[in-house]
């Protein structure tokens, strides 16, 4: 219910520094924006009970968009999409939040083990009609990155501040392989960033990268054994 104040908190450059702020968005809210209807904001705990505030969904959406454009805050995470796409919604690994900068959805006490691939480095003949992804090199980098992050989990096993964190990391062996430089890659491929072609290209690119990472993870499990909470069913 105090989201309008939260959205504006970093406009005072002395109030909150060295931290990102993000908003968790649901399908229900986006449908309300699409249909231009009211939306009920709420917060509930044992001390205060339930607090509600009804707002016009598009009014809140406009504030979010304007703030992102003018102040580069807040970030948005579409949580229903996250849970639908999560491969770990079982055995207590259900994602409930993210790490502080929202790169990786996590379960309770989950480990944030992140690495990224710089996409423009894997292009051939950039800015020309022959521009294309060097898939042989990119696939190799993805496979190395998955193994590297898995090794980081092992290295960090005895270095967590809390035993619950160590246990969560050990039981799930969750990694986050991301990317940077997507806009630069699109420019070098001569694809307009906000075009339908760009959306289609990114969908294909991410699917292929994802399945290479999944395959390498499977090979690691074959070599070293699967993570403790894994269930193939």
């Amino acid at each position: 219910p105090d989201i309008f104040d939260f959205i504006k908190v970093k406009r005072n450059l002395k109030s909150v520094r060295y931290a990102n702020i993000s908003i968790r968005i649901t399908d229900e809210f986006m449908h309300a924006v699409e249909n231009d209807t009211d939306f009920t904001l709420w917060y509930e705990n044992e001390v205060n009970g339930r607090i509600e505030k009804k707002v016009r969904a598009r009014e809140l959406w406009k504030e979010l968009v304007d703030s992102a454009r003018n102040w580069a805050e807040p970030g948005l995470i579409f949580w229903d999409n996250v849970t639908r796409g999560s491969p770990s919604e079982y055995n207590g690994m259900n994602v409930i939040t993210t790490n502080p900068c929202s790169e990786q959805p996590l379960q309770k006490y989950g480990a944030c083990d992140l690495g990224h691939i710089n996409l423009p480095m894997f292009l051939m003949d950039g800015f020309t009609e022959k521009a294309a992804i060097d898939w042989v090199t990119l696939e190799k980098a993805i496979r190395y990155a998955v193994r590297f992050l898995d090794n980081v989990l092992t290295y960090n096993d005895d270095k967590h501040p809390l035993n619950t964190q160590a246990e969560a990391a050990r039981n799930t062996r969750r990694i986050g392989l991301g990317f940077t430089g997507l806009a630069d890659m699109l420019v070098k491929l001569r694809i307009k960033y906000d075009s339908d072609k760009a959306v289609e290209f990114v969908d294909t690119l991410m699917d292929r990268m994802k399945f290479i990472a999944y395959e390498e993870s499977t090979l690691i499990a074959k070599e070293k054994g699967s993570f403790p909470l894994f269930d193939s069913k």
Side-chain angles (χ1 to χ4, degrees), residues 41-163:
L41 304 165
W42 61 272
Y43 176 78
E44 186 173 11
N45 65 21
E46 295 179 358
V47 176
N48 299 305
R50 185 179 177 92
I51 301 170
E52 293 186 356
K53 180 181 179 181
K54 187 171 289 188
V55 299
R56 201 72 174 177
R58 285 191 181 179
E59 179 185 354
L60 176 53
W61 182 246
K62 184 178 186 303
E63 188 68 40
L64 288 167
V65 173
D66 289 348
S67 187
R69 179 193 62 200
N70 297 328
W71 299 89
E73 294 277 8
L76 301 181
I77 185 165
F78 295 92
W79 195 251
D80 289 319
N81 285 346
V82 168
T83 56
R84 275 193 295 268
S86 171
S88 61
E89 298 299 287
Y90 66 94
N91 282 354
M93 296 184 291
N94 311 64
V95 293
I96 60 170
T97 186
T98 70
N99 66 306
C101 293
S102 295
E103 294 101 338
Q104 184 176 7
L106 297 170
Q107 82 280 15
K108 190 175 182 180
Y109 295 107
C112 172
D113 180 17
L114 303 177
H116 72 265
I117 289 175
N118 189 4
L119 292 176
M121 302 299 293
F122 299 93
L123 276 179
M124 301 178 292
D125 300 317
F127 300 111
T128 72
E129 293 182 358
K130 296 181 180 179
I133 297 174
D134 179 358
W135 272 108
V136 172
T137 307
L138 179 55
E139 178 173 338
K140 185 176 181 179
I142 293 169
R143 294 183 184 279
Y144 278 4
V146 170
R147 288 184 174 271
F148 170 78
L149 291 172
D150 184 70
N151 288 337
V152 168
L153 286 171
T154 301
Y155 177 80
N156 283 338
D157 186 72
D158 61 351
K159 297 176 175 61
H160 296 278
L162 302 175
N163 289 334

Side-chain angles (χ1 to χ4, degrees), residues 148-188:
F148 170 78
L149 291 172
D150 184 70
N151 288 337
V152 168
L153 286 171
T154 301
Y155 177 80
N156 283 338
D157 186 72
D158 61 351
K159 297 176 175 61
H160 296 278
L162 302 175
N163 289 334
T164 45
Q165 292 173 312
E167 184 179 358
R170 195 176 301 127
N171 285 336
T172 65
R173 300 196 68 83
R174 191 188 298 272
I175 67 170
L177 178 58
F179 61 87
T180 189
L182 176 62
D184 291 339
M185 171 178 269
L186 290 172
V187 167
K188 290 184 177 183

